[in-house]
């Protein structure tokens, strides 16, 4: 079928392809791939996910989910992320839809986190863990994607805790091929509770049909065979881009909706920055009151959000729902058969991705820069008498007197500012492989170098001094003029009329930004990997079970990895955000062994009985001790129609180079938290007397505070920023034990049917968590548990402040990575493949992939209550996973595969809000005020996708697809950002966020 990026080599045959498909490991995956045996595909080199043993009839004791090139083509996806997001084993993420991301595409299996999912290309790592960007892989280059869920550290090393995603690429092809796809969203913006809330707030909503969010993907691949087909050289170039879709372009995301109580209607979040200009006096009778300039221009202040247009604003007007990006990928492949025993292979992948977030042009609150407010002179000619009275009181109009204030002005008439992201990287692989000693032994020795550069360019900050100078204005011959111009301290100053609505002064805007550029933060991850494996079939030496036909097979290997991560922040970034330059490294040395032992084969009472095992020993230079991982597997087929399989393995994830270095390098700084046991600032009167502490005396006793010091003013930290100790937790690898039990049915009385059912249980211990001071404080206050309270170390006088420069032993709260207690992810996987011939009208192919989650649990400490979040989402559970999700694709293929029609059914079970969880889940009981009976959760969702493929002629294939053909809106989720901290679009990941997608594609073979 059509979406392949290259014509196969002349030597590639259907029999070879079928042989490879039969060896993929998982019976359902093998059946799926065998049906594509006549299609263009990869070379004949055997790639089996989950083992380093090379033999033609490898069988996996753990389930492998395979996505084929045909399925990728039918979806018409622009990024690999979109493809894997459809798998029910994957916790959905969408970096191109997530405004706060870096634009990198990562994969998260089984709700266990990115850092616990190992991503490979042809069995070698893509790059440094947790900095990987699978966008380095263009869709058209993928032959298949294998997802092995559960631990695989004994085969692949650290990080394969939740599982492995292995991208098998097409290579060794000849000819020229061009593939192109274009897609857009055809969405009907309907009225809803969100649009009702927007109407009440005075915000306009999109309505009716829209066509937007265009995406393009075009690739060119070419290859040739040389020297009697002993050498193949091929290469490709790919370009992808997407267009901006703003949150306000979707009716359900026009504003961020929140609820204040169970019975209140939805309301829109309002910005504190307004186009009329927000003014907050910080002295006098109105101190702390948030006011705006009256939009009618009469020179008065009115309360913010009090009605007139301009007195309120949407804080996320121009934020991205789909970020604009453009990505270029290029690469090449070389294979050379040097002789009958040595093959040289090499490949290079390179990419560059650019994307950006649009944000509003505005001043910043003085609090962004520190604790010193802005000041306005009380005789400022821009101030009306009423405004001067509000700000200056008795000093109104008095020269030489100043009033502290905050100015939050939004320049809607000025160009938007951008937060920009540029990710570039390359990956180079070279190796030798072959068979020796009468083809008994196979060897593969390879080296891989992966390097990326991740640049983040922040939005520019208006300069505090410039804003302050522009507010200090005097009258010179009837012309408002900056005092700094008069006294010569700043001849370029432009006066800021912050007291009139809708300021459109471009010269002022240019001045307060002062040519400022955004701070630049650069991360440079690099991974060097050397892997050597020798695999042998000992049956050739007579080492065979007396009841088996095949002999014992083994694989022995060694691996060396060197990790490096470098962080570079320029002066502007440090000034605006903090941060330091650093370079950290880590080296790893490993050895591993695998064995496959067929005990019984083709006997009258047993078709197959096989045991597999594996062990890996790892040594990290940043860890004190070595650690070992292992697997034990078994397969039993009493008859040809049924197979039972089971595996038990120990997988481990060592701290990555950045985490390990951060834990070892202890330093102190001033944090961004206040002591909860000290008197606190009154939110209603920030400049007035402080009020009682937020925490109770008993809670403060949990933090080690003496009762007589509760509420003492001596506990107030400078600027309410107490001391933080960074690092210092002793780290060890986290460990996961994975058990799988399954059965595979291939009934001979239903030819073409293969079904598997597998139970899996992943139990993670000593999980690596990143602990923030505020989280540690809150958990200590509420639980008194030593796991949290140990991180709060008070001085003898009870304070949490010590000079960071003194490297203090006390007076701080810790921050950094630490080993937690445990998490669990349990469930069932269901797979099926059914292929049936229909005579003269073609064939029918059906595939099914479903997951039933039975447990998504976490337990912070041995004495804490374990909470099971499966099927729930919210403050206590994050996004979690639905109890049930599946996709089922049915494809009718005409004879000779000249055309096909494919329908895909996707389903996600409902997910209630975690405040409705029963007590037996362990989810903390929520206060009744947290209930939201109007929006108690997310209902079950179904989507249907349609794809058509037909050959125009032998050289051209055309594709049409419609994803989410019924244009289902994503669920409305009020308070989604405050509950899970992600999208501002009133929904969560896992749903088609932008509506119906129309795709057209073409492939040309020359």
């Amino acid at each position: 079928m059509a979406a392949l990026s290259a014509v196969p080599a002349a030597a590639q045959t259907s029999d070879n392809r079928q042989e490879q498909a039969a060896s993929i490991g998982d019976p359902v995956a093998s059946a799926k791939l065998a049906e594509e045996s006549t299609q263009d595909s990869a070379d004949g080199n055997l790639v089996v996910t989950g083992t380093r043993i090379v033999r033609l009839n490898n069988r996996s004791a753990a389930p492998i989910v395979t996505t084929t090139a045909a399925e990728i083509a039918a979806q018409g996806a622009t990024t690999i992320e979109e493809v894997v997001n459809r798998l029910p084993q994957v916790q959905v993420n969408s970096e191109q839809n997530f405004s706060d991301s870096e634009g990198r595409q990562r994969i998260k299996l089984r709700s266990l986190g990115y850092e616990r999912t190992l991503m490979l290309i042809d069995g070698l790592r893509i790059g440094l863990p947790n900095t990987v960007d699978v966008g380095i892989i263009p869709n058209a280059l993928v032959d298949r994607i294998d997802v092995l869920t559960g631990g695989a550290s004994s085969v692949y090393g650290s990080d394969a805790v939740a599982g492995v995603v292995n991208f098998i690429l097409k290579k060794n092809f000849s000819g020229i091929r061009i593939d192109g796809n274009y897609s857009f969203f055809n969405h009907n913006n309907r009225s809803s509770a969100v649009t009702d809330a927007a109407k009440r707030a005075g915000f306009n909503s999109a309505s009716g049909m829209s066509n937007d969010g265009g995406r393009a993907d075009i690739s060119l691949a070419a290859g040739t065979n040389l020297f009697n087909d002993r050498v193949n050289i091929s290469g490709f170039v790919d370009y992808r881009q997407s267009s901006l879709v703003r949150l306000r372009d979707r009716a359900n995301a026009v504003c961020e909706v929140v609820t204040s109580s169970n019975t209140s209607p939805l309301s829109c979040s309002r910005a504190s920055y307004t186009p009329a200009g927000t003014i907050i006096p910080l002295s006098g009778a109105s101190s702390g009151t948030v006011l705006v300039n009256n939009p009618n221009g009469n020179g008065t202040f009115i309360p913010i959000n009090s009605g007139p247009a301009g007195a309120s604003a949407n804080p996320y007007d121009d934020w991205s729902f789909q970020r604009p990006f453009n990505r270029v990928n290029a690469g090449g492949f070389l294979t050379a058969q040097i002789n009958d025993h040595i093959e040289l292979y090499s490949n290079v992948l390179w990419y560059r991705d650019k994307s950006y977030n649009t944000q509003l042009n505005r001043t910043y609150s003085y609090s962004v820069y520190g604790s010193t407010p802005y000041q306005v002179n009380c005789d400022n000619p821009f101030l009306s008498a009423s405004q001067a009275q509000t700000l200056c009181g008795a000093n109104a109009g008095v020269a030489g007197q100043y009033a502290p204030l905050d100015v939050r002005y939004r320049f809607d008439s000025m160009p938007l500012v951008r937060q920009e992201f540029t990710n570039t990287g390359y990956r180079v692989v070279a190796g030798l492989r072959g068979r020796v000693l009468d083809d008994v032994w196979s060897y593969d020795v390879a080296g891989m170098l992966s390097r990326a550069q991740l640049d983040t360019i922040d939005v520019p900050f208006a300069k505090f001094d410039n804003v302050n100078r522009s507010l200090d204005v005097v009258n010179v011959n009837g012309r408002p003029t900056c005092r700094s111009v008069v006294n010569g301290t700043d001849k370029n100053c432009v006066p800021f009329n912050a007291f009139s609505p809708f300021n459109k002064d471009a010269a002022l805007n240019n001045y307060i930004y002062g040519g400022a550029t955004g701070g630049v933060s650069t991360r440079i991850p690099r991974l060097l990997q050397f892997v050597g494996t020798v695999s042998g079939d000992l049956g050739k030496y007579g080492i065979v079970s007396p009841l088996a036909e095949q002999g014992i097979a083994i694989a022995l290997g060694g691996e060396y990895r060197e990790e490096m991560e470098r962080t570079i922040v320029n002066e502007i970034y440090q000034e605006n955000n903090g941060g330091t330059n650093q370079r950290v490294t880590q080296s790893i040395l490993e050895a591993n062994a695998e064995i496959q032992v067929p005990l019984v084969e083709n006997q009258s009472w047993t078709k197959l009985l096989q045991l597999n095992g594996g062990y890996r020993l790892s040594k990290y230079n940043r860890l004190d001790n070595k650690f070992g991982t292992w697997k034990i597997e078994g397969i039993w087929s009493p008859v040809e129609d049924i197979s039972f399989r089971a595996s038990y393995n120990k997988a481990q994830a060592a701290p990555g180079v950045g985490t390990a270095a951060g834990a070892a390098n202890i330093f102190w700084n001033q944090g961004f938290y206040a002591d909860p046991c000290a008197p606190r600032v009154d939110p209603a009167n920030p400049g007035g007397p402080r009020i009682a502490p937020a925490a109770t005396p008993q809670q403060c006793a949990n933090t080690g505070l003496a009762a007589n010091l509760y509420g003492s003013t001596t506990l107030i930290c400078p600027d309410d920023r107490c001391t933080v100790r960074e690092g210092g937790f002793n780290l060890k690898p986290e460990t996961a034990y994975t058990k799988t039990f399954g059965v595979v049915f291939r009934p001979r009385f239903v030819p073409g049917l293969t079904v598997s059912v597998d139970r899996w249980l992943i139990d993670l211990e000593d999980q690596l968590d990143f602990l923030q001071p505020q989280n540690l404080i809150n958990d200590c206050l509420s639980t008194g548990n030593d796991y949290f309270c140990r991180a709060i170390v008070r001085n003898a006088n009870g304070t949490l402040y010590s000079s960071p420069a003194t490297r203090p032993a006390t007076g701080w709260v810790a921050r950094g990575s630490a080993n937690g207690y445990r998490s669990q992810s349990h469930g069932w996987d269901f797979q099926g493949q059914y292929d049936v011939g229909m005579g003269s009208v073609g064939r029918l192919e059906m595939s099914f992939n479903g997951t039933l989650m039975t447990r998504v649990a976490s337990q912070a400490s041995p004495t804490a209550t374990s909470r099971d979040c499966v099927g729930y989402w919210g403050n206590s559970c994050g996004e979690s996973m639905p109890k049930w999700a599946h996709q089922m694709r049915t494809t009718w293929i005409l004879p000779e595969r000249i055309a096909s029609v494919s329908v895909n059914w996707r389903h996600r079970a409902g997910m209630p809000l975690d405040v409705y969880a029963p007590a037996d889940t362990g989810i903390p009981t929520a206060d009744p005020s947290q209930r939201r009976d109007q929006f108690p959760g997310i209902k079950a969702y179904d989507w249907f996708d349609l794809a058509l493929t037909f050959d125009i002629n032998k050289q051209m294939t055309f594709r049409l697809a419609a994803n989410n053909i019924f244009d289902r809106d994503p669920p409305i989720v009020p308070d989604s950002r405050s509950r899970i901290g992600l999208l501002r679009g009133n929904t969560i990941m896992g749903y088609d966020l932008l509506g119906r997608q129309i795709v057209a594609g073409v492939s040309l073979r020359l």
Side-chain angles (χ1 to χ4, degrees):
M1 302 216 341
L4 309 180
S5 67
V7 176
Q12 176 69 36
T13 66
S14 176
D15 289 343
N16 192 335
R17 176 62 172 165
Q18 288 174 331
E19 181 183 78
Q20 186 178 350
S23 305
I24 213 65
D26 184 90
V28 177
S30 297
K32 180 185 292 189
L33 288 169
E35 286 305 315
E36 296 186 33
S37 60
T38 61
Q39 303 174 53
D40 297 350
S41 190
D43 65 275
N45 293 311
L46 191 66
V47 179
V48 181
T49 299
T51 182
R52 300 286 192 188
I53 293 176
V54 179
R55 70 190 317 174
L56 292 178
N57 62 346
N58 265 315
R59 298 193 184 183
S60 175
I64 297 174
V65 177
T66 292
T67 300
T68 67
E71 290 174 309
I72 297 171
Q75 183 181 343
T78 304
T79 67
I80 284 293
E81 184 180 54
E82 296 171 72
V83 176
V84 296
N85 274 347
R86 289 194 172 190
L87 300 176
Q89 293 79 11
V90 171
Q91 185 165 13
V92 176
N93 184 57
S94 187
E95 297 288 352
Q96 294 300 335
N97 289 341
F98 180 17
S99 295
D100 295 336
S101 77
E102 297 175 334
R104 291 183 295 120
Q105 301 167 41
R106 299 172 290 174
I107 301 169
K108 180 165 48 177
L109 292 174
R110 304 294 196 200
S111 78
L112 289 174
Y114 308 112
E115 63 277 7
R116 300 184 183 100
T117 298
L118 183 59
M119 285 163 274
L120 310 171
I121 297 176
D122 293 332
L124 294 175
R125 293 172 180 247
I126 296 180
L128 196 64
N130 215 27
T131 62
V132 165
D133 185 353
V134 296
I136 196 172
I137 307 166
N139 295 358
L141 201 69
V142 177
D143 185 51
R144 72 175 198 269
I145 305 170
D146 289 345
V147 177
L148 173 68
T149 53
S153 290
S154 64
V155 177
Y156 295 113
S158 180
D159 310 313
V161 169
V164 170
V165 181
N166 193 10
F167 297 91
I168 311 302
L169 302 186
K170 301 169 187 165
K171 41 201 172 290
N172 279 24
F173 49 84
S174 62
I176 299 174
R177 180 151 181 160
I178 300 173
D179 288 273
N181 285 307
Y182 180 78
S183 66
F184 64 93
F185 293 98
N186 171 243
H187 176 65
N188 185 17
N189 288 289
R190 307 169 182 89
S191 298
S192 67
V194 176
T195 59
D196 292 343
K199 185 176 181 180
R200 290 191 291 271
F203 302 154
N204 294 323
S205 302
S207 62
M209 294 299 297
S210 65
N211 296 299
D212 57 16
R215 301 176 178 181
D217 180 5
I218 185 167
S219 64
L220 168 67
T224 185
N225 294 311
L226 304 170
F227 306 110
N228 296 321
D229 294 341
R230 297 182 67 87
V231 175
N232 178 270
I233 300 174
S234 56
F236 74 94
V237 62
D238 179 271
Y239 176 76
R240 286 171 280 176
Q241 69 87 31
S242 71
S243 302
L244 172 67
V245 178
R246 298 164 298 188
L247 288 169
R248 62 186 170 102
D249 293 331
R250 290 293 178 270
N252 276 1
V254 62
C255 67
E256 179 187 60
V257 290
V258 296
T259 52
S260 57
S261 71
N262 189 25
T263 57
S264 65
L266 299 183
S267 60
C268 292
S269 292
R270 309 291 186 92
S272 64
Y273 296 80
T274 61
T278 303
I279 305 295
I280 306 174
L282 297 177
S283 64
S286 299
S287 179
T289 304
V290 184
L291 305 171
V292 297
N293 298 306
N294 195 322
N296 68 13
N298 69 357
T300 62
F301 292 134
I302 62 173
I304 194 171
N305 304 326
S306 55
S312 62
N314 184 345
Y316 307 117
D317 258 346
D318 287 283
W319 285 67
S320 303
F321 217 156
Q322 173 177 280
R323 280 165 53 170
F325 79 88
N326 63 75
R327 182 183 292 261
V328 179
N329 295 66
F333 301 88
L334 167 68
T335 58
Q337 194 69 45
I338 297 173
N339 57 40
D340 291 344
H341 306 294
I342 303 174
E343 182 185 54
L344 168 69
Y345 64 95
S346 179
N347 62 75
V348 178
L349 300 176
W350 173 88
Y351 77 102
R352 186 201 64 202
D353 173 81
K354 291 185 175 182
S355 64
Y356 65 87
N357 291 323
T358 50
Q359 296 186 23
L360 297 162
N361 188 321
R362 57 186 176 171
T363 65
Y364 281 99
S365 165
Y366 76 88
S367 60
V368 171
Y369 308 94
S371 57
T372 303
Y374 298 124
Q375 291 190 95
V376 63
N377 56 307
C378 291
D379 61 339
N380 190 304
F382 290 133
L383 288 171
S384 69
S386 171
Q387 292 171 328
Q389 181 65 37
T390 300
L391 292 171
C392 298
N395 291 324
V398 178
Q401 297 297 315
Y402 290 82
L405 78 167
D406 199 6
V407 177
R408 303 181 183 184
Y409 212 108
R410 181 170 137 175
F411 300 99
D412 279 10
S413 60
M414 298 294 109
L416 298 174
V417 294
R418 291 183 177 186
Q419 184 184 33
E420 300 179 359
F421 305 90
T422 301
N423 302 329
T424 59
Y426 61 82
R427 181 179 181 272
V428 182
V429 174
L432 297 171
R433 61 190 171 204
R435 292 180 177 271
V436 294
L437 302 178
D438 297 325
D439 291 343
V440 174
W441 294 91
S442 299
Y443 68 90
D444 194 333
V445 181
M448 186 278 295
L449 173 63
S450 174
R451 184 186 185 276
Q453 181 167 321
L454 316 174
D455 293 321
T456 299
I457 305 174
D458 269 351
V459 296
F461 279 29
K463 295 185 176 181
F464 176 85
D465 290 339
N466 288 19
V467 175
N468 229 5
R469 283 195 289 266
S470 71
L471 292 170
D472 189 1
V473 180
V474 295
N475 211 329
V476 177
N477 299 323
R479 182 188 180 100
T481 306
C482 293
R483 190 184 306 273
S484 59
V485 172
V486 176
N487 62 28
T489 56
D490 185 353
K491 293 288 187 180
N492 297 315
C493 180
V494 177
F496 183 5
N497 187 356
F499 312 104
S500 178
F502 313 116
N503 190 309
K504 299 180 180 180
D505 190 343
L508 165 71
N509 195 253
N510 291 335
Y511 169 72
I512 63 175
Y513 277 92
T517 57
V520 180
S521 171
T522 299
R523 295 175 65 192
I524 302 176
R526 187 191 70 200
L527 175 64
L528 181 64
Q529 180 184 22
F530 294 100
V531 180
T533 304
V534 175
S535 173
D537 186 349
L538 303 185
K540 301 292 180 65
Y541 301 130
I543 304 177
V544 182
S545 165
L547 298 176
E549 298 173 357
Q550 296 185 103
I552 295 173
I554 63 170
L556 303 173
E559 184 168 344
Y560 173 79
R561 297 194 302 277
E562 185 177 280
E563 301 177 347
M564 185 279 288
E565 187 166 357
R566 187 180 179 189
T567 303
I568 305 169
V569 289
N570 68 1
E571 292 182 5
I572 298 172
Y573 189 93
Q574 292 182 35
E575 180 181 344
N576 294 344
N577 306 288
T580 58
N581 296 332
Q582 65 174 354
R583 182 182 185 276
V584 293
T585 61
Q586 179 169 257
S587 61
I588 304 103
L589 188 61
E590 298 180 316
N592 70 297
E594 285 188 81
I595 187 170
Q596 289 182 357
V597 185
L599 297 175
V600 180
E601 288 182 295
N602 297 320
Q603 301 296 315
S604 60
W605 46 278
T606 288
K607 179 68 175 178
L608 174 67
L609 178 62
Q610 179 174 304
L611 295 178
N612 305 330
Y615 183 81
R616 176 178 291 255
L617 184 65
S618 303
K619 172 59 180 171
Y620 283 65
N621 72 320
R622 285 187 174 272
L623 298 179
D624 293 334
N625 301 310
K626 304 179 181 69
F627 61 91
T629 54
W630 44 261
K631 69 172 182 178
I632 302 171
E633 303 174 335
I635 303 171
W636 177 43
S637 300
V639 294
E640 186 176 340
D641 307 65
I642 186 169
S643 296
F644 299 96
R645 57 188 181 185
S647 68
Y648 183 36
N649 73 67
K650 174 189 176 185
Q652 290 190 284
V657 57
T659 300
N665 299 327
I666 302 174
F667 60 95
W668 288 259
N669 58 41
Q670 199 170 358
F672 292 92
Y673 70 93
D675 190 332
C677 304
R680 60 190 166 109
V681 173
D682 184 353
N685 185 16
R690 292 192 173 226
I691 59 177
T696 67
Q698 181 54 51
Q699 288 176 326
C700 289
N702 293 342
T703 71
L705 184 70
N708 65 311
L709 292 174
Y710 174 77
S712 171
T713 57
T714 62
L715 300 179
I716 300 173
C717 297
D719 297 328
D720 278 330
R721 296 173 61 195
C722 301
T723 304
V724 170
R725 188 199 71 180
E726 303 276 357
F729 292 102
N730 293 322
L731 300 182
K732 58 184 177 181
E734 57 184 16
T735 303
Y737 294 94
T738 301
K739 297 181 282 290
T740 64
F741 314 92
V743 59
V744 180
F745 299 97
R746 286 171 292 189
R748 282 169 287 183
F749 57 86
V750 186
L753 176 65
T754 306
V755 176
S756 67
V757 180
D758 292 275
R759 172 67 165 160
W760 49 269
L761 305 99
I762 304 174
D763 297 305
L764 177 66
E765 301 175 356
D766 298 321
Q767 64 185 31
L768 290 165
D769 295 324
F770 192 86
L771 305 178
Q772 295 283 5
Q774 196 61 61
N775 294 335
L776 289 164
I777 290 170
N778 291 341
D779 287 333
C780 177
L781 291 172
S782 61
T783 69
N785 192 293
D786 183 63
Y787 175 77
F788 308 111
C789 298
R790 62 180 174 150
I792 303 172
V793 183
R794 293 185 178 273
N795 288 317
N797 62 359
T799 60
L800 285 176
Y801 179 79
S802 297
S803 172
T806 64
R807 301 181 62 83
T810 59
W812 41 260
V813 177
R815 177 181 186 268
S817 295
N819 288 99
Y821 190 49
R822 68 181 184 185
S823 293
Q824 295 175 308
S825 185
H826 297 173
W828 294 83
D829 277 340
F830 301 85
Q831 289 195 76
Q833 180 74 23
Y834 182 51
D835 307 299
V836 58
M838 299 171 62
S840 61
V841 295
R843 294 188 60 81
L844 195 66
E845 296 180 1
M846 291 181 285
S847 62
F848 180 86
N849 178 19
T851 291
L852 175 68
M853 299 290 297
T854 59
R855 189 168 181 81
V856 177
S858 62
Q859 187 173 356
S861 71
T863 58
T865 301
S866 177
R867 63 183 66 171
D868 181 8
C869 286
V870 64
Y872 293 95
W873 77 276
N875 291 92
S876 296
C877 292
E879 293 177 87
S880 192
M881 296 279 280
K883 284 187 177 180
W884 173 256
H886 76 247
Q887 65 172 335
M888 180 176 180
R889 182 174 292 279
T890 302
T891 305
W892 171 39
I893 303 172
L894 273 66
E896 305 298 325
R897 295 186 179 268
I898 60 172
S900 68
V901 180
S902 181
V903 177
N904 188 42
W905 169 31
R906 294 177 282 136
H907 174 85
R908 281 173 67 94
M911 294 184 67
L913 194 60
D914 55 19
V915 301
Y916 295 95
D920 61 5
T921 62
I923 297 171
T925 301
D927 187 275
S929 65
Q930 296 300 308
R931 294 175 63 92
R932 296 293 183 265
D933 292 341
Q934 300 173 76
F935 296 90
I938 300 170
K939 297 179 180 179
Y941 260 67
D942 293 280
W943 303 266
F944 294 91
D945 312 313
L946 177 65
L948 308 174
T949 302
F950 50 93
D951 290 338
I952 305 295
N953 52 44
K954 292 183 178 181
Q955 286 75 41
M956 179 182 293
T957 300
F958 188 69
R959 299 177 300 277
L960 284 174
N963 298 316
N964 185 9
I965 57 177
F966 296 116
D967 192 27
R968 286 214 64 180
D969 284 324
I972 297 174
V973 179
D975 307 300
S976 60
R977 185 165 61 93
S978 63
R979 292 185 185 276
I980 57 176
L982 288 177
L983 286 175
R984 296 168 175 82
N986 307 318
T987 190
I988 65 174
M989 304 290 188
Y991 301 84
D992 285 24
L993 303 181
L994 298 177
R996 180 192 299 115
Q997 185 184 33
I998 307 298
V999 185
V1002 65
S1003 295
L1004 298 174
R1005 296 169 290 274
L1006 306 176

